[in-house]
Amino acid sequence: MMIDRDITIELVGMEFHAFHGCLESERKDGNTFVVDFRGKIAGKKAAKSDDLKDTADYSKIYETVAAEMAKPSNLLENVAGRIVDAIMGADLGFWFVQVRVSKKNPPVGGACSWSRVTATWGKDLQNKIINESF
């Protein structure tokens, strides 16, 4: 197997009932949130070994996201930033991380399916332009 580049790992559509928002009703009743994760990791060794120890453990990514989603915040920016910090602090081997947090039916005074915030750490050196669509 001739992989000499990094590998992108994604967990898309992680759904949580959480209590983020500035309004009392958001803190009391909660809402549906969806988190999408994208990270880049050196992939050559894992591609050859087929061994979990040579890549990031997906369940640890999920557990990290879930732990941060359980802590109420006023702003989605804070939630997304905390998730990025926690992933990087977990030393899972990522050199690039992108997290998108989406809130279903945000209270904006009209019809709106989702509000979304995307936080990024690192630079996508291979692509130069980051494709933000998960």
Side-chain angles (χ1 to χ4, degrees):
M1 193 172 300
M2 299 298 294
I3 293 178
D4 66 350
R5 301 256 179 194
D6 295 316
I7 288 180
T8 300
I9 294 173
E10 296 179 319
L11 273 69
V12 179
M14 295 178 275
E15 191 170 311
F16 303 92
H17 186 82
F19 300 89
H20 308 304
C22 295
L23 302 179
E24 184 178 329
S25 61
E26 294 177 292
R27 291 301 188 105
K28 180 181 171 234
D29 301 328
N31 199 346
T32 300
F33 293 82
V34 174
V35 178
D36 299 313
F37 169 84
R38 175 184 290 141
K40 292 194 181 240
I41 191 168
K44 186 175 183 177
K45 190 171 182 180
K48 288 186 179 216
S49 73
D50 196 27
D51 193 326
L52 180 59
K53 71 176 174 45
D54 294 329
T55 190
D57 184 336
Y58 298 2
S59 65
K60 290 192 186 303
I61 297 166
Y62 184 89
E63 289 169 11
T64 303
V65 171
E68 293 305 319
M69 288 301 294
K71 302 172 188 172
S73 291
N74 289 326
L75 304 177
L76 293 182
E77 292 86 345
N78 180 263
V79 179
R82 285 190 293 106
I83 292 170
V84 168
D85 287 348
I87 293 285
M88 295 313 297
D91 196 26
L92 298 173
F94 291 103
W95 60 265
F96 171 84
V97 169
Q98 190 171 52
V99 173
R100 181 171 71 181
V101 179
S102 304
K103 179 193 289 191
K104 188 172 180 117
N105 299 319
V108 294
C112 182
S113 297
W114 297 94
S115 60
R116 292 188 167 127
V117 169
T118 302
T120 303
W121 182 91
K123 294 182 181 176
D124 187 342
L125 302 175
Q126 292 172 356
N127 297 325
K128 304 282 188 228
I129 298 173
I130 297 168
N131 177 0
E132 290 198 20
S133 64
F134 282 89

